Amino acid sequence: MAFTQEALPYAENALEPHIDAQTMNIHYGKHHAAYVTNLNKALEGSDAEKLNISIEDICKNISKYSAAVRNNGGGHFNHALFWKTMAPNAGGNPSGAMAEAINKKFGSFDKFKEAFSQAAMTRFGSGWAWLIVKKGGDVEVTSTPNQDNPLMDVAEAQGTPILGLDVWEHAYYLKYQNKRADYVSAFFNVVNWNYVSELYQKAK
Ligand code: MN
């Protein structure tokens, strides 16, 4: 069974003005689509394909796979998560257990935003900033290069990613050009904390 792209959970213009429709169209329709196509090509005839290994399990054992699977498998997992952790009319603050875990680790939601923004800003070149759940249930902010993610056995900080921000230039350049900070700040207006909280509950 080849991997496929789930439909976007909202219209391409639904996250405007924070994420523009043209960027969504190219990012979802071309970049993510290419990761899926190339992942399937890289896995053709492999045991992983025959055994229907999930993308999560592939990531967890990524050191056993080729560079093409690492790049495109990471690209598929990361983008599939990214679309779902955003929503129109979202943003604001998390509540309940998610808010408690963030406060416990960072002191406040604003301090979390600072740490997450810092991770997104200091990731040199292409990569992702993450909020992850570690073994034991604590949350942490981290970042990875390229299309790596914290599920991967090669990641510096490992855990279950529950929120990720794509800081590749393809994710923001049309609207924000060199102003990554403005993109990072706009992202908080579209974070779907209800969904992120569900992922937190499952992961902890
Ligand atoms: Mn991307």
Side-chain angles (χ1 to χ4, degrees):
M1 261 294 283
F3 288 104
T4 54
Q5 243 185 323
E6 269 184 61
L8 261 190
Y10 37 74
E12 285 173 352
N13 65 358
L15 304 182
E16 289 202 345
H18 312 293
I19 313 273
D20 62 288
Q22 192 187 12
T23 296
M24 282 302 293
N25 176 272
I26 298 169
H27 199 180
Y28 172 81
K30 305 288 186 211
H31 290 278
H32 184 190
Y35 295 128
V36 173
T37 302
N38 291 328
L39 172 64
N40 288 331
K41 262 187 217 158
L43 288 173
E44 227 165 59
S46 69
D47 288 348
E49 188 200 39
K50 286 174 200 144
L51 297 171
N52 262 329
I53 308 287
S54 69
I55 190 61
E56 287 80 5
D57 285 337
I58 288 175
C59 287
K60 286 176 186 170
N61 295 292
I62 205 70
S63 60
K64 300 190 179 76
Y65 290 87
S66 67
V69 172
R70 178 169 169 178
N71 291 335
N72 294 291
H76 176 40
F77 175 88
N78 297 348
H79 288 84
L81 175 68
F82 186 46
W83 312 133
K84 290 194 210 169
T85 57
M86 298 187 287
N89 310 310
N93 295 28
S95 57
M98 180 78 267
E100 282 166 31
I102 283 175
N103 291 339
K104 182 183 165 199
K105 172 69 187 179
F106 301 98
S108 69
F109 182 61
D110 281 346
K111 292 278 181 204
F112 154 74
K113 278 168 73 175
E114 266 175 42
F116 189 90
S117 303
Q118 175 79 357
M121 290 304 298
T122 55
R123 170 47 59 192
F124 184 77
S126 297
W128 291 74
W130 303 100
L131 176 64
I132 65 173
V133 183
K134 297 193 298 180
K135 258 191 201 147
D138 285 345
V139 294
E140 186 179 307
V141 160
T142 181
S143 78
T144 53
N146 305 314
Q147 293 296 354
D148 285 0
N149 64 52
L151 281 181
M152 292 183 173
D153 59 2
V154 295
E156 258 173 58
Q158 291 174 31
T160 307
I162 59 175
L163 178 67
L165 176 59
D166 189 343
V167 296
W168 283 56
E169 285 185 346
H170 70 222
Y172 63 88
Y173 212 83
L174 286 176
K175 182 175 170 72
Y176 296 97
Q177 294 86 46
N178 60 312
K179 300 182 285 286
R180 188 190 284 191
D182 291 355
Y183 162 69
V184 172
S185 142
F187 173 66
F188 289 109
N189 294 316
V190 293
V191 173
N192 181 354
W193 284 110
N194 289 336
Y195 183 66
V196 176
S197 300
E198 272 177 42
L199 294 180
Y200 169 70
Q201 292 292 351
K202 273 185 220 158
K204 81 183 168 94

